[in-house]
C-alpha cells in the first residue's frame, strides 16, 4: 500500500472514529478476547462509565456485560433489545445491534455494538397502555352503573378501579352526611380496617377531602414530606403515601362526597391520572344522582308530600304484610283511624296553606304518641291511620289515649294558637277473614261513631258498627244509582218579605225518594255524596232541575213577580273551572231568566278566593244571576273580601236567629249582620225563623226578609207554587 493510500485510510479511520465518538448512540467495540477496545461518548452518557474506565477491561465484567448471541459468534450480525446495566445500578432498556469485525483475511478480530436508549419509548408505551386500561376501567364502571349495579357495590368498584389502574397505596370514597356535617368513608381499599371509622371528618376541617367538598376543586399534593397547609390526622400513617389526589364527587346542587387516591411515591401522579380519577368520580356521581332520583320518585310515590308520612298505598302494603305475619305468629294488631275535628273550618277560614301547616304539625305529634316500630300514615285529606302490631285491645286503647293527649297543646297557625281535637276509631284483628281494606273500613266506621258521640274521643269497632258500616256502604251504592234512576227530587222552601208576607224567593233543597226507606232529607245523604265525589253530578242535576222548574213557574204564574230560586253550591263547586259554563248551560237549556237563579254559597267562599273564581261570579252577576252568602256569621271571613265579593244577599245563620227568642239584646251578632248588610247595600235574609218572638225581633232590627218553618216547610214544586201571591207572614 502506498504512503498516500495509507494516509487516506488513516484519515478515514480517524474520521469514523470521531464520528463514532460523537454519535448519540452508545458504541462499544471489543476484540476477540473480549477486551473493550472502543467506548464512545454516547456510551459514557448512557451507561455512566468513562472510556478510561472501560477500555482495556473485559466486556463480561459486572459493569457492562453484553450477552453475545450465538449468531454473532458465527460471524453473523444480530439486532434486538437488551436490558443493560448502568454505573448507578439502573437497568436501561436498549435497542442493540452487534456486528462482527473481520480482518482482511477473514479472521474474526472482534465485535462492535451500537445501543440506543429505549427508556422514553418504553415509558411512553407504558403510559399509553395505562391510559387504555384506565379508559377501559371507566367504560366498565359506566356499564355497571347503567346496568343498575347496587350502589354500594359500585362505590367499592370505583375505589378498587382507581387503586388498580393508578398503582395506589390506598383509595377512599368519602360520602357527605349533610345532616351530621360529616364526611364518612363509604368505600375504601388499602386502609387498615381498624382505623376506617377514624377517617370520618367534619366538613369544616382543613383536610384535603373536606376542602374539596366545600370548594368542588381538586387538590393534588405531590410531596407530603414537604411543608403544606393541610391537616393530616395521625392515623393517615396507616396508608404510607408520598402524594395524593382528592377530587369532588359532584351532585346536582353540591358535592355528595370526595374520591381520594394515595400514591406510594412522591410526584406519583400525572395530569392524566387526575383526569382519570375525576372521570371515575363523575361516573360515581351520575350513579348516585340516579339512585337518589329513583329513591325520591319511590318516596314520592309512597309518601305524602305535605307531611312526609307514608301514604295510603304504602300503609295498605305494610298492613297486608303485618296481617300475614300476625297470622303465622298468632299475634293481633290494631288499626287506628283518625279524622281531625273541624279541620274544614281551618281550611275555609285561614286558607289551605294554614291547613297544610297544621297537617305538618300533626305528623310529629302522632309519631311521638306511638311506638318506634308502629306506622303513622296520612290516608288523605285530614285523615291519618296508625298500624300497631303485637298488642291487644287494652294497649290499643292506651295508644289512642296518647294520641288524644297529643292534641292537648295548641297548634300555632299564622302566629295564633288554635286548639284542635281528633276522633279516633280502632279496629283489631279478630276475624281470620280480615283484610287490610276491611280493617281500615272498620276503623273508619268506629271513627264516625266517635264523631257522633261528641268528637275528641276514641271508639273501638264492634259488630253493631259493622252492620252500620255495611248499611252505609249499601246506601252509598244506592246513591250512585239514584242519580241515574231519577230518584232525586227538589223541594222548595219559601223566602218571604216581612213587610208584605209574600214569597220573594224559594230555596231548592234536594230530597232522595229512596225506594225502600222513603223520602230522605239532605242530611241523610249529602254528607255521603260530598265524601264520594257524587256532589258534582248532583249539583249539576239540581241546577238543571231548579231552572227548569223556575221556567215552568214563569209560565204558570205570569202575573207574579219572578221568583228567585236559590241553589246551594259549595266553595269547591264554584272553584271548578267549568262551573260558569254549567250555570250558563242550565239557564240556556231551561229558558229561565238569569234573574230567577240565586247561587247560595257558604261564607267560607270569602276565605282567600281565587281571582278566577271571583271573576267568574262577577260575570254571572252581570248576566243577572244573584249571589247569596249562606250561613253568614259562622266562619272567619275577611270583611275586606266581603266588600269586594259580588254578593247581593246575606243569610243570617239560624244559630244567631234562635237567640232572638230572648229579645234583640241577646242577639248582638244578628244585629251586627243586619247593620253590615244594610251598610253594604245587601239584602239580609234571616234563616230558621220558627217563632213569633224571633220574627218580632227581626222586625225590630229592620230585617226585611225571612225563611223558616214559621212560614212554610220545604214543599214539592206543585204545592209551593200554590203559595205564590199569598201572604205567609202572620204579623204582616
Amino acid at each position: 500500500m502506498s504512503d498516500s493510500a495509507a494516509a487516506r485510510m488513516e484519515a478515514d479511520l480517524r474520521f469514523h472514529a470521531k464520528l463514532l465518538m460523537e454519535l448519540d448512540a452508545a458504541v462499544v467495540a471489543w476484540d476477540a478476547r473480549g477486551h473493550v477496545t472502543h467506548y464512545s461518548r454516547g456510551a459514557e452518557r448512557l451507561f455512566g462509565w468513562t472510556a478510561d474506565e472501560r477500555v482495556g477491561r473485559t466486556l463480561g465484567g459486572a459493569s457492562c456485560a453484553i450477552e453475545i448471541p450465538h449468531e454473532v459468534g458465527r460471524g453473523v450480525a444480530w439486532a434486538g433489545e437488551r436490558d443493560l446495566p448502568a454505573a448507578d445500578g439502573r437497568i436501561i432498556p436498549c435497542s442493540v445491534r452487534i456486528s462482527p469485525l473481520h480482518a482482511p483475511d477473514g479472521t474474526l478480530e472482534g465485535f462492535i455494538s451500537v445501543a440506543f436508549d429505549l427508556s422514553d419509548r418504553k415509558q411512553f408505551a407504558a403510559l399509553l397502555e395505562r391510559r387504555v386500561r384506565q379508559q377501559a376501567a371507566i367504560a366498565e364502571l359506566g356499564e355497571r352503573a347503567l346496568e343498575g349495579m347496587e350502589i354500594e357495590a359500585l362505590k367499592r368498584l370505583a375505589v378498587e378501579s382507581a387503586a388498580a389502574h393508578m398503582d395506589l397505596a390506598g383509595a377512599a370514597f368519602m360520602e357527605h352526611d349533610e345532616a351530621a356535617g360529616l364526611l364518612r368513608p363509604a368505600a375504601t381499599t388499602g386502609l387498615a380496617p381498624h382505623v376506617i371509622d377514624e377517617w370520618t371528618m367534619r366538613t369544616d376541617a382543613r383536610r384535603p377531602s373536606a376542602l374539596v367538598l366545600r370548594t368542588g376543586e381538586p387538590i393534588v399534593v405531590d410531596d407530603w414530606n414537604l411543608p403544606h397547609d393541610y391537616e393530616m390526622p395521625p392515623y393517615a400513617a396507616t396508608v404510607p403515601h408520598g402524594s395524593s389526589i382528592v377530587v369532588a364527587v359532584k351532585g346536582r346542587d353540591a358535592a355528595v362526597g370526595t374520591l381520594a387516591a394515595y400514591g406510594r411515591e412522591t410526584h406519583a401522579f400525572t395530569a392524566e391520572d387526575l383526569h382519570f380519577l375525576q372521570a371515575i368520580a363523575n361516573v360515581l356521581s351520575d350513579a348516585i344522582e340516579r339512585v337518589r332520583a329513583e329513591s325520591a320518585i319511590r318516596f314520592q310515590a309512597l309518601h305524602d308530600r305535605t307531611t312526609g308520612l307514608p301514604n295510603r298505598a304504602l300503609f295498605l302494603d305494610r298492613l297486608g304484610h303485618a296481617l300475614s305475619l300476625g297470622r303465622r305468629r298468632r299475634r293481633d294488631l290494631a288499626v287506628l283511624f283518625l279524622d281531625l275535628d273541624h279541620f274544614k273550618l281551618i281550611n275555609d277560614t285561614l286558607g289551605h296553606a294554614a291547613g297544610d301547616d297544621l297537617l305538618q304539625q300533626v305528623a310529629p305529634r302522632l309519631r311521638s304518641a306511638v311506638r318506634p316500630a308502629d306506622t303513622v300514615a296520612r290516608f288523605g285529606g285530614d285523615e291519618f291511620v296508625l298500624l300497631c302490631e303485637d298488642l291487644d285491645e287494652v294497649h290499643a286503647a292506651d295508644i289512642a289515649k296518647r294520641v288524644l293527649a297529643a292534641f292537648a297543646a295548641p297548634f300555632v297557625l299564622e302566629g295564633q294558637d288554635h286548639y284542635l281535637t281528633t276522633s279516633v276509631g280502632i279496629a283489631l284483628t279478630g276475624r281470620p277473614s280480615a283484610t287490610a281494606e276491611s280493617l281500615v273500613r272498620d276503623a273508619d266506621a268506629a271513627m264516625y261513631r266517635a264523631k257522633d258521640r261528641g268528637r275528641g274521643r276514641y271508639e273501638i269497632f264492634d259488630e253493631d258498627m259493622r252492620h252500620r258500616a255495611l248499611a252505609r256502604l249499601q246506601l252509598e251504592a244506592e246513591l250512585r244509582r239514584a242519580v241515574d234512576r231519577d230518584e232525586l227530587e227538589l223541594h222548595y222552601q219559601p223566602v218571604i218579605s216581612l213587610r208584605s208576607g209574600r214569597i220573594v224567593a224559594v230555596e231548592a233543597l234536594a230530597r232522595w225518594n229512596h225506594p225502600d226507606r222513603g223520602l230522605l232529607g239532605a242530611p241523610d245523604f249529602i254528607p255521603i255524596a260530598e265524601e264520594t265525589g257524587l256532589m258534582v253530578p248532583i249539583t249539576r242535576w239540581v241546577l238543571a232541575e231548579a231552572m227548569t222548574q223556575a221556567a215552568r213557574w214563569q209560565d204558570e204564574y205570569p202575573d207574579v213577580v219572578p221568583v228567585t230560586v236559590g241553589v246551594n253550591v259549595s266553595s269547591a263547586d264554584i272553584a271548578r273551572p267549568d262551573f260558569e259554563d254549567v250555570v250558563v248551560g242550565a239557564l240556556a237549556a231551561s229558558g229561565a231568566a238569569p234573574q230567577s237563579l240565586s247561587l247560595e254559597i257558604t261564607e267560607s267562599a270569602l276565605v282567600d278566593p281565587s281571582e278566577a273564581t271571583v271573576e267568574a261570579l262577577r260575570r254571572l252577576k252581570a248576566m243577572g244571576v244573584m249571589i247569596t252568602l249562606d250561613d253568614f256569621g259562622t266562619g272567619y271571613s275577611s270583611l275586606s273580601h266581603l266588600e269586594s265579593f259580588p254578593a247581593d244577599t246575606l243569610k243570617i245563620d239560624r244559630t244567631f236567629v234562635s237567640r232572638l227568642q230572648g229579645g234583640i239584646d241577646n242577639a248582638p251578632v244578628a244585629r251586627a249582620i243586619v247593620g253590615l248588610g244594610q251598610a253594604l247595600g245587601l239584602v239580609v235574609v234571616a234563616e230558621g225563623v220558627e217563632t213569633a218572638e224571633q220574627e218580632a225581633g227581626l222586625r225590630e232590627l229592620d230585617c226585611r226578609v225571612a225563611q223558616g218553618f214559621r212560614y212554610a216547610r220545604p214543599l214539592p214544586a206543585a204545592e209551593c207554587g200554590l203559595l205564590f201571591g199569598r201572604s205567609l207572614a202572620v204579623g204582616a
Side-chain angles (χ1 to χ4, degrees):
M1 180 184 296
S2 64
D3 292 341
S4 60
R8 283 196 302 275
M9 183 177 292
E10 186 178 349
D12 288 343
L13 288 173
R14 284 197 302 273
F15 172 76
H16 287 101
K18 184 176 181 180
L19 182 62
L20 289 173
M21 290 299 290
E22 296 300 330
L23 280 175
D24 217 18
V27 180
V28 180
W30 60 94
D31 59 22
R33 292 176 300 169
H35 292 93
V36 176
T37 57
H38 180 82
Y39 202 79
S40 71
R41 290 193 181 93
E44 291 179 333
R45 288 190 295 270
L46 181 58
F47 299 117
W49 289 288
T50 65
D52 291 341
E53 291 173 319
R54 302 312 311 139
V55 173
R57 296 180 179 272
T58 15
L59 183 69
S63 59
C64 192
I66 298 180
E67 180 185 350
I68 302 173
H70 297 297
E71 295 92 330
V72 178
R74 297 195 302 268
V76 180
W78 176 88
E81 293 184 5
R82 284 283 189 272
D83 291 333
L84 302 179
D88 59 6
R90 292 179 298 119
I91 299 298
I92 302 173
C94 295
S95 171
V96 181
R97 180 178 179 81
I98 304 175
S99 301
L101 296 175
H102 296 91
D105 62 0
T107 305
L108 181 65
E109 290 187 334
F111 304 90
I112 185 170
S113 70
V114 180
F116 293 92
D117 186 0
L118 295 180
S119 297
D120 289 344
R121 187 187 303 173
K122 292 280 188 182
Q123 186 176 3
F124 179 78
L127 180 61
L128 185 61
E129 183 180 356
R130 182 173 178 176
R131 288 184 189 174
V132 171
R133 290 198 308 271
Q134 288 179 347
Q135 291 298 322
I138 294 169
E140 180 185 5
L141 189 67
E143 287 176 7
R144 295 292 178 271
L146 291 174
E147 290 169 358
M149 175 182 261
E150 196 269 330
I151 191 63
E152 297 305 318
L154 193 70
K155 293 172 185 176
R156 291 192 296 272
L157 180 59
V159 296
E160 289 166 1
S161 294
H165 297 289
M166 294 175 68
D167 191 23
L168 301 176
F173 167 59
M174 306 289 289
E175 194 158 23
H176 184 201
D177 183 344
E178 190 171 357
L182 297 173
L183 267 175
R184 303 182 189 275
T188 64
T189 184
L191 275 65
H194 66 282
V195 298
I196 286 179
D197 289 340
E198 297 178 27
W199 280 69
T200 297
M201 67 186 74
R202 292 185 56 83
T203 55
D204 58 359
R206 284 207 54 77
R207 300 178 194 172
S209 287
L211 290 168
V212 168
L213 181 78
R214 297 199 299 269
T215 65
E217 298 298 323
I219 291 178
V220 179
V221 179
D222 288 321
D223 190 344
W224 276 102
N225 300 310
L226 297 177
H228 52 75
D229 296 331
Y230 308 118
E231 174 190 351
M232 181 55 66
Y235 50 76
T238 58
V239 184
H241 61 282
S243 53
S244 65
I245 303 177
V246 182
V247 298
V249 179
K250 299 178 180 178
R252 180 172 301 174
D253 302 314
V256 298
T258 62
L259 187 59
Y262 301 99
R264 295 180 176 84
E265 307 296 333
T266 62
H267 300 277
F269 302 117
T270 65
E272 286 72 21
D273 289 325
L274 173 59
H275 295 152
F276 171 63
L277 192 66
Q278 186 64 68
I280 289 181
N282 292 344
V283 173
L284 199 55
S285 170
D286 291 343
I288 290 173
E289 282 297 300
R290 174 179 53 78
V291 169
R292 288 186 175 184
E294 292 172 352
S295 177
I297 291 171
R298 285 195 298 272
F299 185 89
Q300 291 172 6
L302 297 173
H303 290 77
D304 171 56
R305 184 170 298 182
T306 301
T307 62
L309 295 175
N311 61 12
R312 178 192 297 255
L314 181 54
F315 179 83
L316 291 175
D317 181 68
R318 289 184 181 178
L319 179 55
H321 286 296
L323 279 170
S324 299
L325 185 63
R327 290 191 184 101
R328 290 197 298 271
R329 296 180 177 178
R330 297 184 179 180
R331 294 179 179 177
D332 289 333
L333 60 83
V335 171
L336 283 73
F337 199 107
L338 288 71
D339 185 271
L340 306 184
D341 298 328
H342 302 300
F343 175 76
K344 186 175 183 297
L345 186 61
I346 296 292
N347 259 349
D348 289 347
T349 56
L350 300 182
H352 290 284
D356 288 347
D357 185 10
L358 176 60
L359 295 173
Q360 290 164 4
Q361 293 184 49
V362 165
R365 295 198 190 188
L366 294 179
R367 282 195 292 261
S368 68
V370 299
R371 302 166 301 177
D374 296 335
T375 295
V376 179
R378 184 184 177 199
F379 217 55
D382 60 341
E383 298 173 338
F384 294 84
V385 280
L386 312 181
L387 168 59
C388 306
E389 301 180 57
D390 298 334
L391 83 178
D392 55 19
E393 182 176 312
V394 173
H395 291 95
D398 288 340
I399 290 177
K401 292 173 185 176
R402 291 203 299 270
V403 168
L404 295 175
F407 283 75
F411 295 88
V412 180
L413 302 174
E414 298 181 354
Q416 299 293 323
D417 287 351
H418 293 265
Y419 289 88
L420 189 74
T421 59
T422 184
S423 299
V424 184
I426 304 172
L428 294 103
T429 49
R431 295 175 295 123
S433 60
T435 64
E437 290 76 12
S438 68
L439 273 175
V440 171
R441 184 181 65 235
D442 293 348
D444 184 37
M447 181 272 294
Y448 275 104
R449 171 71 66 86
K451 283 190 177 294
D452 291 342
R453 292 185 173 180
R455 305 177 189 268
R457 55 180 292 149
Y458 72 88
E459 291 287 338
I460 299 175
F461 186 81
D462 56 25
E463 284 304 314
D464 179 55
M465 289 187 199
R466 188 182 310 282
H467 295 312
R468 289 191 179 193
L470 291 173
R472 189 174 185 277
L473 284 174
Q474 181 179 355
L475 190 66
E476 178 186 330
E478 291 170 345
L479 181 57
R480 291 185 180 277
R481 296 191 293 268
V483 178
D484 297 329
R485 294 178 177 179
D486 293 329
E487 293 176 0
L488 298 181
E489 61 183 69
L490 291 182
H491 285 199
Y492 301 87
Q493 184 173 32
V495 179
I496 71 159
S497 165
L498 289 178
R499 289 185 174 179
S500 67
R502 296 181 183 277
I503 297 175
V504 294
V506 294
E507 180 179 355
L509 299 168
R511 297 290 184 264
W512 181 7
N513 197 358
H514 192 279
D516 299 321
R517 299 173 58 183
L519 194 65
L520 301 180
D524 294 323
F525 66 92
I526 290 299
I528 297 176
E530 290 175 338
E531 292 171 16
T532 57
L534 286 172
M535 277 310 298
V536 173
I538 288 177
T539 299
R540 292 189 178 196
W541 176 85
V542 170
L543 275 168
E545 180 65 19
M547 290 302 93
T548 299
Q549 184 58 54
R552 290 197 195 104
W553 281 333
Q554 289 173 11
D555 292 338
E556 293 174 12
Y557 305 100
D559 297 332
V560 178
V561 176
V563 172
T564 301
V565 180
V567 174
N568 291 284
V569 292
S570 67
S571 299
D573 287 325
I574 63 174
R576 291 179 61 86
D578 63 344
F579 178 72
E580 183 180 359
D581 294 336
V582 170
V583 173
V584 173
L587 290 169
S590 64
Q595 293 80 2
S596 62
L597 172 62
S598 176
L599 297 174
E600 300 201 4
I601 307 166
T602 56
E603 184 188 358
S604 61
L606 290 181
V607 180
D608 196 22
S610 71
E611 187 60 33
T613 297
V614 174
E615 285 302 317
L617 292 176
R618 284 175 179 157
R619 286 192 294 272
L620 289 172
K621 182 175 181 179
M623 289 174 54
V625 175
M626 310 292 285
I627 308 295
T628 297
L629 285 176
D630 200 8
D631 301 332
F632 194 80
T634 58
Y636 297 91
S637 60
S638 166
L639 293 181
S640 63
H641 286 155
L642 174 60
E643 195 171 14
S644 60
F645 201 77
D648 301 283
T649 303
L650 295 183
K651 277 194 171 183
I652 309 175
D653 186 71
R654 66 182 62 247
T655 304
F656 307 114
V657 173
S658 66
R659 293 172 186 167
L660 288 168
Q661 191 65 26
I664 62 173
D665 291 338
N666 294 328
V669 175
R671 181 198 298 271
I673 295 174
V674 171
L676 176 64
Q678 291 173 347
L680 294 175
L682 305 177
V683 175
V684 179
V685 179
E687 290 186 293
V689 182
E690 297 183 357
T691 68
E693 192 171 359
Q694 291 170 358
E695 180 180 319
L698 292 171
R699 292 179 183 278
E700 191 174 348
L701 293 176
D702 197 24
C703 179
R704 302 169 186 177
V705 185
Q707 172 184 356
F709 287 179
R710 176 164 171 75
Y711 314 111
R713 293 177 177 273
L715 301 168
E719 294 180 32
C720 185
L722 296 176
L723 300 179
F724 290 159
R726 292 172 52 186
S727 175
L728 302 181
V730 177

